[in-house]
Structures are given as C-alpha cells and as structure tokens.
Amino acid sequence: MNYKKAKYLMGAAELIQLPEDYGVEVAFAGRSNAGKSSALNALTEQKALARVSKTPGRTQLINLFTLEEHKRLVDLPGYGYAKVSNKLKDNWQRTLEDYLTTRQCLYGIILLVDARHPIKNFDCMMIEAAVEYGLNMHILLTKADKLNNKEKAQSEKLLRDYLDQLKTSERLSFQLFSSLKGTGLNKLRDKLDSWYSAFDDDFAQ
Ligand SMILES: Nc1nc2c(ncn2[C@@H]2O[C@H](COP(=O)(O)OP(=O)(O)OP(=O)(O)O)[C@@H](O)[C@H]2O)c(=O)[nH]1
Ligand SMILES: [Mg+2]
C-alpha cells in the first residue's frame, strides 16, 4: 500500500456522520498526547495530514483519511485528557466506545502508548476491549527516541508481561516506535499491509 496517497476525507463528531460501514478501517487510538496524529503524518510522509497538538486534547473529531477505495485510516480523539470537562469527556468516551464496538469495517486498532509508561489504566482497558471484541491490535510504544536501550528493553518487557497474562496473544502485537526518528515505520507499514490485504482476500472469495 502506498501510504503517501492518504487524503483527508472528513471529520465526524458523531457516528451517524461516518461514511458507509463498508471496506476496511484501521483506527489510531491512545491517550491524548500519545502521538497518534504524529504517527499518521510519519506513516503517510505528509507533514500536516493530521493535526499535531501543541496542547493535548486537540483532536476532537473522528478524522478519516482515504488510502484507496474502501480503505481508510482513522485518527481517533485521545482519551484521558484531564483538563476537558467531564461532560465532554463522557461524550468522547461514549462516541469512542460506540465506534469501537459497532463499526463493522473496523479491522484493527493501532494503539499508541507512551513507551515511558506503557500500561496505564485506559490503555489496559483498550487492550482488554480489543481482546473482548476480537479486534486485531498492534501497539506502538511511542516516543522511543526519548529512551536509552535499557529503558526500551524495560518498556517492552513491561508490556510483554502484561500481554502474556491475558493469554490471547494471537491478535495482539507490539513494537517500539518514534515518529520523530522514523523508528519502526517499516514494521508498522508491514502490519497495516497485512490487515488491508486481508480485506482483498475476503473480497476475492
Ligand atoms: N520526542 C517525540 N515527540 C513526539 C513523537 N510523536 C509525537 N510527539 C510529540 O507529542 C505531542 C503530541 O503529539 P500528537 O501527535 O499531537 O498526539 P495525539 O495523540 O494526536 O494527541 P491528541 O490529538 O491530543 O489526542 C506533540 O508535541 C508531538 O510533537 C515522537 O515520536 N517523539
Ligand atoms: Mg491527535
């Protein structure tokens, strides 16, 4: 897949505004400020495809990008940002949850977690939700450029131990990642390629 071809499609405040539930969507999820929009820009080699926040909590819509016909990338609003009102938080959380649980064409989630503290509450909830709903999930330990080798290994171990005790490793994978340095971009592309081509295989049958 040529990720450079990604084009902004639309921003949806509510699920009803989303395009027809057909094809394959891969959603980038994670705490506010984890680096979702930066990762999308790095992946697509476009500086300003997705907006990168100076202040956390910037991405408030479900932003969709078209790669090819029926193949989309999705930038989800970040969760867990403390400074937004509870009402807004509840709203986002519900929209996010509804999207994750009802969207048929959602094939997989790229979950971004800060490599410096990889298994916070919300992230564990997301991982467990993916397991429960049988979704594919690939976790990016982001901002790896801020860690030395020992810290990177510690971060991977923490996450690996957590995933191991879930005992459902089949659809779960993870890697270190840095949008800033481009670390792990090829691995991410390979994972996405495998997900999008699963749709081609289905379609051919
Ligand atoms: N050092 C470093 N900083 C990063 C990296 N990725 C993102 N950042 C910084 O982290 C901040 C948040 O990045 P965003 O990409 O906007 O994060 P987001 O997850 O989209 O945030 P919300 O839209 O608020 O949920 C920005 O200041 C980025 O420059 C990375 O790989 N390394
Ligand atoms: Mg964002």
Side-chain angles (χ1 to χ4, degrees):
M1 176 84 76
N2 182 358
Y3 294 95
K4 286 189 207 168
K5 283 194 309 191
K7 279 205 177 71
Y8 181 74
L9 176 64
M10 65 171 305
E14 294 177 56
L15 300 194
I16 196 158
Q17 299 166 339
L18 292 174
E20 188 193 355
D21 193 352
Y22 178 77
V24 197
E25 280 172 7
V26 174
F28 281 51
R31 292 177 70 84
S32 187
N33 213 41
K36 299 173 290 298
S37 301
S38 302
L40 279 163
N41 289 341
L43 171 71
T44 58
E45 295 176 47
Q46 298 184 39
K47 283 209 174 78
L49 183 78
R51 276 193 205 146
V52 172
S53 348
K54 289 223 169 53
T55 47
R58 177 73 181 272
T59 311
Q60 297 184 4
L61 297 170
I62 297 179
N63 286 315
L64 294 106
F65 307 91
T66 305
L67 288 165
E68 281 175 9
E69 210 184 2
H70 309 310
K71 292 179 181 169
R72 292 176 293 274
L73 285 166
V74 180
D75 189 9
L76 292 172
Y79 48 80
Y81 179 52
K83 280 191 188 156
V84 299
S85 73
N86 278 339
K87 191 168 170 223
L88 200 62
K89 239 193 253 182
D90 289 350
N91 266 345
W92 286 355
Q93 223 149 292
R94 200 164 317 118
T95 306
L96 194 65
E97 211 174 292
D98 288 348
Y99 173 79
L100 296 174
T101 54
T102 64
R103 191 79 172 156
Q104 294 293 319
C105 66
L106 178 64
Y107 189 82
I109 301 169
I110 301 293
L111 180 71
L112 286 91
V113 304
D114 193 312
R116 290 165 295 179
H117 21 83
I119 44 172
K120 291 219 167 178
N121 249 350
F122 271 116
D123 300 324
C124 296
M125 268 166 51
M126 283 293 292
I127 296 169
E128 283 165 29
V131 170
E132 189 179 333
Y133 292 106
L135 288 164
N136 297 294
M137 179 175 270
H138 185 62
I139 303 167
L140 301 182
L141 290 166
T142 63
K143 308 191 185 181
D145 52 277
K146 296 193 179 192
L147 275 62
N148 63 32
N149 286 340
K150 190 176 166 209
E151 290 164 332
K152 282 181 204 162
Q154 278 168 345
S155 176
E156 286 189 294
K157 182 175 177 347
L158 257 173
L159 182 59
R160 188 179 301 111
D161 288 349
Y162 174 74
L163 296 179
D164 280 351
Q165 53 90 31
L166 293 176
K167 298 191 171 66
T168 43
S169 57
E170 220 169 274
R171 291 198 173 92
L172 288 174
S173 49
F174 69 92
Q175 65 164 102
L176 286 160
F177 187 82
S178 163
S179 297
L180 193 73
K181 294 271 160 75
T183 316
L185 262 176
N186 285 337
K187 199 167 173 183
L188 171 63
R189 288 196 182 107
D190 287 348
K191 178 55 78 173
L192 291 171
D193 283 348
S194 75
W195 286 357
Y196 285 115
S197 66
F199 173 75
D200 292 334
D201 296 345
D202 279 357
F203 202 65
Q205 280 169 10

Coordinates of all heavy atoms in Angstrom, one line a residue, residues 35-38 50-53 58-59 75-76 78, ligand 2:
G35 N 0.7 10.7 20.6 CA 1.4 10.8 19.3 C 0.7 10.2 18.1 O 1.3 9.9 17.1
K36 N -0.6 10.0 18.2 CA -1.4 9.4 17.1 C -1.3 10.2 15.8 O -1.0 9.7 14.8 CB -2.9 9.4 17.5 CG -3.2 8.5 18.7 CD -4.6 8.6 19.2 CE -5.0 10.0 19.8 NZ -4.3 10.3 21.0
S37 N -1.6 11.5 15.9 CA -1.5 12.4 14.7 C -0.1 12.4 14.1 O 0.1 12.3 12.9 CB -2.1 13.8 15.0 OG -3.4 13.7 15.5
S38 N 0.9 12.5 15.0 CA 2.3 12.5 14.5 C 2.6 11.2 13.8 O 3.3 11.2 12.8 CB 3.2 12.6 15.7 OG 3.0 13.8 16.4
A50 N -2.6 15.0 9.5 CA -3.3 15.0 10.7 C -2.7 16.1 11.6 O -1.5 16.3 11.6 CB -3.2 13.7 11.5
R51 N -3.6 16.8 12.3 CA -3.1 17.9 13.1 C -2.3 17.4 14.4 O -2.9 16.7 15.1 CB -4.2 18.8 13.5 CG -4.6 19.8 12.5 CD -5.5 20.8 13.0 NE -6.3 21.4 11.9 CZ -7.5 21.8 12.0 NH1 -8.1 21.7 13.2 NH2 -8.1 22.3 11.0
V52 N -1.2 18.0 14.5 CA -0.4 17.6 15.7 C -0.7 18.7 16.8 O -0.6 19.9 16.5 CB 1.1 17.5 15.4 CG1 1.9 17.4 16.7 CG2 1.4 16.4 14.5
S53 N -0.9 18.3 18.0 CA -1.3 19.2 19.0 C -0.2 19.9 19.7 O 0.8 19.3 20.1 CB -2.1 18.5 20.1 OG -2.5 17.2 19.7
R58 N -6.4 18.0 21.4 CA -6.7 18.7 20.2 C -7.6 18.0 19.2 O -8.5 18.6 18.7 CB -5.3 19.1 19.5 CG -5.5 19.9 18.2 CD -5.9 21.3 18.5 NE -6.1 22.1 17.3 CZ -5.1 22.7 16.7 NH1 -3.9 22.7 17.2 NH2 -5.3 23.4 15.6
T59 N -7.3 16.8 19.0 CA -8.1 16.0 18.0 C -9.4 15.6 18.7 O -9.5 14.7 19.5 CB -7.4 14.7 17.6 OG1 -6.0 15.1 17.2 CG2 -8.1 14.1 16.4
D75 N -8.1 8.7 12.6 CA -7.4 9.3 13.8 C -8.5 9.5 14.8 O -9.4 10.4 14.6 CB -6.8 10.6 13.3 CG -5.9 11.2 14.3 OD1 -5.6 10.6 15.3 OD2 -5.4 12.4 14.1
L76 N -8.4 8.8 15.9 CA -9.4 8.9 17.0 C -9.1 10.0 18.0 O -7.9 10.3 18.2 CB -9.6 7.6 17.7 CG -10.2 6.5 16.9 CD1 -10.2 5.2 17.7 CD2 -11.7 6.8 16.5
G78 N -8.1 11.5 21.4 CA -7.4 10.9 22.5 C -8.2 10.8 23.8 O -9.1 11.7 24.0
Ligands
MG2 MG -4.2 14.0 17.5

